[in-house]
Every structure is written in structure tokens, then in C-alpha cells.
Amino acid sequence: MLFRLLTVALAVAAICTTTSAAAVQTSTPPTEAQVRELVTKAVTNKTCENCVAALRVSREFARDNITAAIELSKSMCPNITNSPADLCNGNIDKQMPVFIKSALKADFDRGDDKFICHSVFERCPSPPVTAGTLSFPKPKPRVLTVPAHCGKLANVIHLSDWHVDELYEPGTEAECDRNTCCRTFPTTNTTAPPRRSAATWGDYHCDTPVKLARDLMQFITKDISGIDFGILTGDIPPHDTWLRTKETVVPIEEHAYGTIASFLGDGVNVYPSIGNHDTGPTNLFPTEKSGGRLQWLYNSLSSQWRPWLTPGACLQVRSNYGAYSTSPHPGFRIISLNTNFCYNENYYLYSDLSDTDPNHELRWLISELQHAEDQKERVWIIGHVAPHNTDCLENWSDLYHQVVLRYSPHVIAEQFFGHSHRDGFAIYYAGKEDGNEAGMKNARTAVATAWTGPSVTPYKNVNPGFRMYKVDTCSWNVFDSITYIANLDQAAQWDAMGASPNWHVEYSAREAYSPYAPLPANESLSAAWWHNVTEAFEKDPGNTTGPFQEFWKRHSKQSRVFPTCLANTTCPQEVICALRSATNADACVVPASGLKKRRDDGDMEVVEGVQETRPWSRKMC
């Protein structure tokens, strides 16, 4: 909950104080006291009206004196968030200038203030999707030819959310007042014994120790043979957002990518994508319209990824805002997107919300998919923030959904994302253009799947893990998904015994779910099959040994400190709805405030043995 508190409360204190976009126009600028009053009211009385009022007055205060707005935010942050001053100051110094500039450009008369209160603070209703209908270079073929499976399978490793913490310190406090713990901080009381001492192998409130990351890679290279290639769906640095800069991000990424490459060797390429933590300051990716440059990051990643990518793909990374397209095998293409251009904590996006395709990334994606269709290639799309997540802005999510439906199932074979730290998936269903006028969601209309890879980091309250896919090398569809984990609740025992993590197969998706949704050996784990699995989930969601509760345990990689999804709540219904929803605009969760907002991932935490009543309805990271 601490991370979520910081995201909302710090945002209200720090961002509201400088993020508003069209404050009440008065001849006299608002005073510091007025800002404090309205921001405090917005934090206390969590309504759309109060959020908008705070935003408006705060923007006018920042317009008159940006420095004063930043200092006011710093003074308010510790009390509102119960966070140390150095964390508040670091986050505000790094995030505030971008938020101020974007807020001053935003159009509150057009409703951008309510959009910000919806997207950042979750105080206003979901806005209507206004992106419109995309046009494509060619109409979708009437007859779709999907390559047949040939039965020759390749092993593909999926790593995600590495979040390695090079400053992890065993024996330090694992229950601290910061985003991530297990370090000595300026405010650490070194004379008091920790409430929970950080084990050498990691902790559920902390990011990945270097020791754990290296042990995972050693397990992969020793115990998984015949790896064809890998994908890495973003987020290398830790969650210490108040410290992240260009100077701190680059060496961490260099060390991590170098470690992965050294273990896998020259014969195994890894195809990465950019996560929201992969830049400094965190989350902030400028667009052409917002102004600002991030060329240093794209140049750095192009250099670091050079051992795995072709020269042409490396050039695209540098010139195409981190996105690239490459062909690991004839007839097969991987397209890596920078989905941070839809991420709701990328504050550059709020400078012009009418720009629904920042940096023309979706237009570029369409051109790549059209070329693949013309050349009869099969395509994987990889990225970090999943377009179906609620922290991907609605308009971008809707446009991406249109792209997937246009090029599925004959071009797009699979999609892979990360970011949530959880194990999950989302199903795409045919639209009106494909004859599904009523918008039916069933096995017949299911056309595509988006996989969410489990995280390496145990942050927060999940076990560390990774995945291997068994992939048909003619259709490039997944025939099995095998997830590996280590049970981090045994970390103290590993230390005491001088043992290593117990990396092991958590489950095979084919073996786990085919008893409930029969699947012939010569068929892949298709979108239609996954829909049948969700129907099995619906039949008895409260059965502790049934498919839904087993899925929920796998959602956290069998973490014993992860909240339950009780059958006598709306949790099962909302989770299943989310699995069948491939756009942000599908509202599956109805929060206590009454505003419909779809949430399928989460920053979930058990505090003093008391579980969150709605653990499934919080977002991550």
C-alpha cells in the first residue's frame, strides 16, 4: 500500500500543487494558504469536484511561481504521505517540472482537468473514448490464411520486471516507509533492530538482490536446455524513483543486460522492450509535441542491445523512440513497442491529450504489420505496459485494440507484456468488422491473446519467477507456457542452511487447465482455448482446488502473503471480466466510490495480517 499511497497522495500533494491545468481565472494569484486548503480537502474528501478544484487553483499558483510551487509541495509531502523528506524531495524534484509544464499546456476548458483527476488520482469518472476509427493501408482480407502448426517446437524464455537492486543490503529493515526497502537510508535508525531483517536472497517488500538475479540465470542455463531465444519485457532498475537519473540508470542497465548475455552466451539472443523504470527520471518519456529529449536513453539501449539485435534494429531503437522490428527466423517477426507512450504516469502525455498516438508509434506499428501481412510473416508484439491495463490511457488502448483486430489472427500470432509483476493474460474478441455485431465474447469470437509475464522481482508480495514457452516454429503460436518460481518465504531457511533458492516448475498451462478445457495435442493455447478456460473459472470460483482458485494462486506465483480472492466478494467476477477485456475502457471493477474503473493488476499488501478487502483492484508499478 505504501507505493500506492505515495502515487496518489504524493501526486495530490506534489502534482496537484503544480499539475492543475486551468485554474480558476482571477486577477489575483492564489495564495499558498488557498492551495493548502484545497489540496488538503481533495486528499480528505476524495471526490471529483474537490480534485478538480485543487488542480485548478494549484496550476494558477504554479503559473505565477514555479519555484514556490515546488517548495510548497515539498513542505506538504511528508505529512500527507508519512514519507521521509529525502524521498519526497527527490520525487518532487524529478517529476514536478515535467508535470508543471504539461499542466500549463493542458486544456482544462476541454476537460483535461477531469481527465487528470480520473487517470492519475482516480477521482473522476472514466472519460469517453474519443480516438475515433483508424484507417489502414489495405482492408482486412476476406479469407484469412493462418499457417498450420508443423509440430517442431522451440523453447523461448520470457523474463520481465528484473528490478535489480545493486544496493540491496542483507540484514537491513524489510518493512520501511519507502517504495522499496532492504537498504540503509539516511533516516535509518541503525541502533534499533529491524522489525523484519532482509534475507540475503530477497524479501517481499524489496527489489531483486544481485545474488538472486544471478542465481536465476544460473538455473536457466543449467536446467533449461535448447533455448532458441528470449524476450525481456522491461524494467531493469529498482523502484527507488526518488534517486533515478540518467547517471544512475545507465550503469544498472549495462550490468543487468551484460549479466543476462554472459549467462545465455552468444547463441541465444534476447529481444527487450523498454519499461517505465528504464529511464531517469522514472516514467518520463517525452513526445514530439511535448518537447524534451530522451535520445541519451535510446542511444544507450541501442548500444547495450547490440549483441542481440541486427544493425537495422539498433538503428530503429535510436531513431524510433526505442521501438524496433526484427526477424529472428524467416517468416517470423518480433515488434517491440515503447508502450510508455500510453502510460498514465508519463506526465508528458498530459500536455496534449488530443495527441492519441504520441510519436506516431501506432502508425509505425501498422506499417510494420502491413508489411508482415504482405510478406506472409507471423508477428509477435512485445512491450512493457500492457495496452489492456488500466494505466494505459483509454484512447491509445482503444487504437491499439483496433490494430490487433485488423491483423489477427493471420498476422499477429502472440503478444507479450510485463509491468504488473503478476501472471495473467487478456483475450481479444472479434469486432463488428468481423461480423461480431453484438460484441459477443465466446470461444468462436476469440481471436488473440496477450500474455503477462511474471516478474523476476518479488516486489511486492509475489514470488520471483520467469517463464518458458513451447512455440511451434511454423505458426509461432504457444503450445505450452511453463512458469518457474522460487518460494521466497523460505529465504531465511536458505540462509540458515547455506542453500540456494528452490527454482522449480510452478505449473504448465496445458497440463493445469486442459482437464477443464480439453485441448488436443496438435492445437496451441489459442485465444479460443483461453476463453474456454475462463468459462471453467466461472463454474465454481470458490472451490479451493478448482481452476479459478488455482489460477489466483498462480497469479502471485504461489505467494503466501498475497491476498485471497474470496468467492463471497465481487473479486472472481471482476477478475474473469478483466481476463476477457482487452481495452482499458472495459470497466470490470466498480470501486467503493461508485466510479466504474477496470482494474486487473495491483499493488497488493497484507498489513499486520489484515488483508485488503479488494486486493484485485489495485494497480502496479
Side-chain angles (χ1 to χ4, degrees):
M1 280 181 58
L2 178 61
F3 180 83
R4 185 62 191 143
L5 177 65
L6 287 170
T7 303
V8 175
L10 175 63
V12 174
I15 297 169
C16 278
T17 309
T18 44
T19 307
S20 357
V24 178
Q25 299 295 324
T26 61
S27 56
T28 303
T31 65
E32 179 178 310
Q34 289 174 318
V35 174
R36 285 183 179 273
E37 177 185 0
L38 287 176
V39 169
T40 301
K41 186 176 181 180
V43 172
T44 306
N45 302 312
K46 302 175 178 64
T47 67
C48 180
E49 179 183 20
N50 288 333
C51 179
V52 169
L55 281 171
R56 287 180 169 252
V57 74
S58 298
R59 182 174 81 159
E60 291 313 299
F61 184 80
R63 188 194 302 278
D64 185 63
N65 191 331
I66 291 176
T67 301
I70 292 175
E71 293 307 311
L72 175 58
S73 299
K74 290 180 180 179
S75 70
M76 295 178 69
C77 176
N79 288 333
I80 289 180
T81 66
N82 294 318
S83 301
D86 67 300
L87 183 150
C88 285
N89 295 346
N91 275 325
I92 290 169
D93 283 336
K94 290 172 177 59
Q95 303 290 323
M96 181 73 71
V98 172
F99 216 123
I100 291 175
K101 291 177 182 178
S102 294
L104 293 175
K105 292 179 181 178
D107 187 348
F108 280 15
D109 292 334
R110 190 181 57 197
D112 288 359
D113 51 352
K114 290 184 178 179
F115 188 95
I116 293 171
C117 280
H118 155 73
S119 185
V120 178
F121 310 119
E122 300 175 12
R123 295 292 175 255
C124 292
S126 299
V129 174
T130 59
T133 302
L134 286 172
S135 59
F136 296 96
K138 296 179 182 179
K140 191 170 184 176
R142 290 181 174 273
V143 178
L144 302 180
T145 302
V146 179
H149 310 307
C150 58
K152 182 181 179 182
L153 300 181
N155 294 332
V156 179
I157 295 295
H158 185 179
L159 299 170
S160 193
D161 296 273
W162 187 264
H163 289 298
V164 65
D165 186 357
E166 296 183 349
L167 299 179
Y168 185 98
E169 188 177 345
T172 55
E173 179 61 74
E175 293 187 22
C176 67
D177 53 357
R178 297 169 181 267
N179 299 28
T180 185
C181 304
C182 302
R183 291 186 188 175
T184 298
F185 296 107
T187 57
T188 299
N189 182 355
T190 56
T191 62
R195 286 174 290 177
R196 188 174 70 250
S197 182
T200 66
W201 292 106
D203 187 274
Y204 288 118
H205 284 199
C206 307
D207 277 313
T208 313
V210 172
K211 181 179 180 180
L212 180 67
R214 292 184 63 85
D215 195 75
L216 179 149
M217 292 307 305
Q218 186 175 37
F219 172 81
I220 289 175
T221 54
K222 286 188 174 181
D223 289 68
I224 301 179
S225 60
I227 300 173
D228 190 273
F229 63 89
I231 56 175
L232 200 169
T233 49
D235 271 8
I236 297 298
H239 289 84
D240 54 353
T241 55
W242 68 98
L243 298 175
R244 290 300 120 215
T245 64
K246 169 186 175 181
E247 290 71 26
T248 63
V249 163
V250 170
I252 291 173
E253 292 174 349
E254 289 177 342
H255 299 161
Y257 290 126
T259 296
I260 295 170
S262 66
F263 275 100
L264 293 179
D266 294 337
V268 179
N269 289 337
V270 175
Y271 301 100
S273 58
I274 300 178
N276 58 299
H277 283 267
D278 290 331
T279 188
T282 306
N283 303 330
L284 301 181
F285 291 79
T287 71
E288 292 176 357
K289 291 189 176 181
S290 70
R293 285 179 58 80
L294 202 59
Q295 196 59 46
W296 65 265
L297 176 65
Y298 305 131
N299 291 345
S300 175
L301 293 178
S302 175
S303 175
Q304 293 170 42
W305 297 348
R306 185 176 295 124
W308 298 323
L309 303 184
T310 64
C314 288
L315 177 61
Q316 284 186 320
V317 172
R318 295 194 301 274
S319 62
N320 199 36
Y321 308 100
Y324 65 89
S325 175
T326 191
S327 179
H329 293 276
F332 171 56
R333 181 165 298 279
I334 293 177
I335 299 175
S336 178
L337 297 178
N338 184 350
T339 55
N340 295 293
F341 293 119
C342 84
Y343 186 42
N344 68 350
E345 292 188 34
N346 178 8
Y347 299 140
Y348 280 107
L349 301 179
Y350 298 107
S351 67
D352 185 0
L353 287 168
S354 67
D355 182 14
T356 56
D357 183 17
N359 296 347
H360 315 292
E361 184 173 37
L362 292 174
R363 187 170 70 184
W364 170 79
L365 172 63
I366 291 170
S367 68
E368 289 293 320
L369 290 170
Q370 187 58 58
H371 177 77
E373 182 178 79
D374 294 341
Q375 299 299 314
K376 295 181 169 50
E377 290 181 324
R378 294 287 276 170
V379 170
W380 283 6
I381 298 175
I382 66 173
H384 182 63
V385 177
H388 57 266
N389 277 7
T390 55
D391 44 13
C392 178
L393 298 186
E394 284 86 347
N395 277 326
W396 200 97
S397 174
D398 182 77
L399 293 175
Y400 178 82
H401 186 264
Q402 294 180 44
V403 174
V404 171
L405 295 190
R406 163 61 182 84
Y407 292 99
S408 295
H410 59 302
V411 178
I412 299 173
E414 306 286 358
Q415 304 163 75
F416 303 93
F417 301 98
H419 184 59
S420 78
H421 297 193
R422 316 293 187 246
D423 179 338
F425 61 91
I427 303 169
Y428 287 70
Y429 297 88
K432 295 179 180 179
E433 299 78 6
D434 294 310
N436 188 15
E437 296 290 340
M440 298 296 293
K441 294 184 177 182
N442 53 43
R444 183 183 61 83
T445 62
V447 296
T449 306
W451 304 75
T452 300
S455 64
V456 171
T457 185
Y459 180 89
K460 204 167 200 185
N461 292 328
V462 298
N463 278 320
F466 68 96
R467 183 175 288 155
M468 183 184 73
Y469 301 106
K470 296 281 188 180
V471 181
D472 186 275
T473 55
C474 291
S475 65
W476 292 102
N477 287 126
V478 172
F479 264 65
D480 202 0
S481 167
I482 303 168
T483 303
Y484 293 78
I485 64 169
N487 299 102
L488 197 65
D489 58 348
Q490 301 177 22
Q493 298 176 39
W494 301 335
D495 282 347
M497 299 171 60
S500 297
N502 63 336
W503 299 107
H504 61 280
V505 173
E506 180 196 10
Y507 77 106
S508 149
R510 178 179 285 271
E511 292 178 3
Y513 298 123
S514 59
Y516 308 100
L519 183 66
N522 62 347
E523 291 187 14
S524 66
L525 308 189
S526 65
W529 179 75
W530 277 116
H531 177 87
N532 290 336
V533 171
T534 65
E535 289 191 346
F537 290 169
E538 288 179 312
K539 292 179 180 178
D540 190 9
N543 183 350
T544 57
T545 61
F548 178 78
Q549 289 298 331
E550 289 301 310
F551 164 79
W552 187 252
K553 293 173 186 175
R554 294 166 186 141
H555 189 55
S556 65
K557 295 165 280 180
Q558 307 291 337
S559 171
R560 294 184 179 182
V561 296
F562 197 78
T564 54
C565 185
L566 301 175
N568 61 352
T569 69
T570 59
C571 177
Q573 174 188 353
E574 292 175 353
V575 168
I576 294 168
C577 174
L579 297 175
R580 295 173 177 170
S581 302
T583 65
N584 184 352
D586 286 346
C588 293
V589 174
V590 183
S593 64
L595 304 176
K596 292 194 75 177
K597 174 93 173 163
R598 175 177 163 270
R599 304 299 292 273
D600 62 346
D601 50 5
D603 177 14
M604 308 161 193
E605 181 174 7
V606 180
V607 182
E608 297 179 350
V610 179
Q611 294 180 342
E612 294 276 347
T613 57
R614 300 173 61 80
W616 62 95
S617 64
R618 307 183 74 91
K619 73 180 178 184
M620 218 16 216
C621 217

